[in-house]
Amino acid sequence: MAIVKDNILMQLVRGSLGKQITIYERNGQIIMAKKRGPSKKKPTQKQLEARHKMAIASMRAHMMLEDPQIKAYYQSLAGPGQNAYNMAVKDAYRSPEVQNIRLEKEEVVVTAQNEFRVAEVEVRVIDAEGVITESGRAFLGRNGVDWYYKAAALPAGGKVIVVAKSLPGNSTIKELLLT
C-alpha cells in the first residue's frame, strides 16, 4: 500500500488498473494498493445473517418501489448520489423503535420512531388470564411520534402489547405490564 501525496494526476484518478492496482481515497488520503480478490475464508454466522437480512431488505425494496407514490416518497429523501432504491433498502433493513409506552387515564400513548416513518401501530390489551380483551390501531398525534389508542378498560394484572410497523413491513413488539 502506498499513500500518494502532491501528485496532480493521482488527485483525479480512482478505481482499478487492470487486475493489479486499485486507487481509492480514505480519510482524505489517496491510496494505491494491490487489488484485492474475493476472500477465501468461509463467511461467519454473523456475515451469513447480515447477507440474508440484506437480501430480504432488497426484495422488500423492489416490491415497495412498484408503487409510484412510495417510490416518489423515497426519491424525495434521497441525497446526492442516492436514489429511491437506496432509501427503500435502508428503510427495509431496519425495524421501527418503540421508545416508550405510557398510560394516560384510559389512553395508551406509544412513542415510536423510525428513520423514515412508522406506518402503523397496533395495540392489544390482554387481561391477567392471557385473553385479548381488545385490540386496534392507534392514531398518530400531531407531533408525528406519539400514537394514541383509547382503551375501553386496562385490567390490573394484564398487559398492553404494542406492535409498531414500518412502511416495508418490519415490526417491533414491546409490552407493558399493568399493575
Side-chain angles (χ1 to χ4, degrees), residues 10-11 13-15 23-31:
M10 291 298 175
Q11 300 259 336
V13 177
R14 300 290 181 276
I23 302 169
Y24 59 96
E25 186 173 340
R26 182 182 296 157
N27 298 328
Q29 291 185 323
I30 300 167
I31 299 172

Side-chain angles (χ1 to χ4, degrees), residues 47-93:
Q47 288 172 327
L48 291 172
E49 289 169 6
R51 289 176 189 175
H52 179 69
K53 189 174 176 182
M54 183 57 82
I56 291 171
S58 177
M59 286 188 292
R60 285 184 176 172
H62 280 295
M63 289 186 332
M64 287 187 316
L65 293 178
E66 291 174 2
D67 183 337
Q69 289 179 329
I70 293 175
K71 185 173 183 174
Y73 167 70
Y74 284 121
Q75 188 61 48
S76 71
L77 299 173
Q82 297 176 322
N83 57 34
Y85 174 75
N86 300 139
M87 297 293 100
V89 168
K90 189 175 182 180
D91 191 15
Y93 195 78

Side-chain angles (χ1 to χ4, degrees), residues 101-113:
I101 304 171
R102 62 187 186 279
L103 306 174
E104 295 177 0
K105 297 180 185 174
E106 292 297 313
E107 194 166 47
V108 178
V109 182
V110 179
T111 303
Q113 284 189 314

